């Protein structure tokens, strides 16, 4: 069964708690939180203070996607703020094995993400250590971009690598997901779909989530 993780990046930030409650009521099980620092990506978004604040509004799994330089320096802050899963980027400036171990030591699940142009070779060594692989299907930084279909073979390749580990590793896809492409993304092996604009810009969150799940 596919998991839909609404990304609050397209939510109404003046009503963030209510928005999270609304997607929970609409059937979401995970909340995807896009953390950007203005260095790793051009945009600046959410820090641990906001995560701690919204933690009070929901018991759903908080999936923190760190698009920041030096993620290792911020793991404990996000864990303390209430993250359940912390995903770092393969392109970050830290040692991946060390940082993933730090996430696990903090009590969170650990994820590794690759940008559209990054080969899975870069994360090969750490795949047995992680709980989630995130394949970016847009260049990270902003919601509302178009899905890059060239990443489909990489999703399939990641699925095959996951099979070989014989352990449960989620395969998440993030960027430009909508009802037109959710089917093919799932066919290629994804089991967690992130969507910001498709859900939060729709007039009916439950219908949008259902459309992503049912295709
Ligand atoms: C992009 C973020 C995504 C983004 C998705 O850098 O990591 O999670 O919010 O937005 P949509 O679904 O609108 O492409
Ligand atoms: Zn994201």
């Amino acid at each position: 069964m596919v998991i839909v993780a609404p990304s609050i990046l397209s939510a109404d930030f003046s009503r963030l708690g209510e928005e999270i409650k609304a997607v929970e009521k609409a059937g979401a099980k995970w909340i995807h939180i896009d953390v950007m620092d203005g260095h790793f990506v051009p945009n600046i978004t959410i820090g641990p203070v906001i995560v701690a604040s919204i933690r009070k509004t929901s018991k759903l799994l908080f999936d923190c996607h760190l698009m920041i330089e030096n993620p290792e320096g911020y793991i404990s802050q996000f864990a303390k703020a209430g993250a359940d899963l912390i995903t770092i980027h393969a392109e970050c400036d830290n040692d991946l094995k060390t940082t993933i171990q730090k996430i696990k030591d903090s009590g969170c699940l650990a994820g590794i993400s690759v940008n559209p142009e990054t080969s899975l070779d870069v994360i090969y060594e750490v795949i047995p250590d992680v709980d989630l692989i995130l394949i970016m299907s847009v260049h990270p930084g902003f919601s509302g971009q178009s899905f890059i279909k060239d990443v489909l073979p990489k999703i399939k390749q990641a699925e095959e690598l996951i099979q070989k580990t014989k352990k449960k590793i989620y395969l998440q896809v993030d960027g430009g997901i909508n009802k037109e492409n959710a089917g093919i993304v799932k066919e290629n092996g994804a089991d967690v779909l992130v969507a910001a604009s498709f859900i939060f810009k729709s007039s009916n969150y439950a219908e949008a989530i259902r459309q992503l799940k049912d295709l």
Side-chain angles (χ1 to χ4, degrees), residues 2-21:
V2 74
I3 294 167
V4 175
S7 159
I8 56 172
L9 193 54
S10 290
D12 177 351
F13 274 70
S14 69
R15 303 185 301 108
L16 203 44
E18 288 166 47
E19 290 275 68
I20 291 169
K21 286 202 171 93

Side-chain angles (χ1 to χ4, degrees), residues 7 9-10 32 34 36 65 67 136 138 140-145 174-177 194-197:
S7 159
L9 193 54
S10 290
H32 185 83
D34 285 308
M36 307 187 190
H65 176 193
M67 288 160 276
M136 287 305 299
V138 296
F142 301 92
S143 57
Q145 303 181 74
D174 180 9
I177 297 290
V194 175
S197 46

Side-chain angles (χ1 to χ4, degrees), residues 4 26 205-215:
V4 175
Y205 296 169
E207 173 67 5
I209 290 172
R210 193 191 59 72
Q211 285 174 328
L212 297 180
K213 272 190 186 158
D214 289 355
L215 279 166

Side-chain angles (χ1 to χ4, degrees), residues 40 65-67 87-92 96 100 111-116 118 120 122-123 130 132-136 140 172 174:
F40 185 80
H65 176 193
L66 303 192
M67 288 160 276
T87 297
I88 60 163
H89 265 262
E91 304 83 4
C92 77
L96 299 182
I100 286 163
I112 186 76
S113 177
V114 285
N115 281 341
T118 303
L120 292 176
V122 179
I123 62 164
V130 298
L132 176 143
I133 297 174
L134 165 53
I135 307 289
M136 287 305 299
Q172 183 177 57
D174 180 9

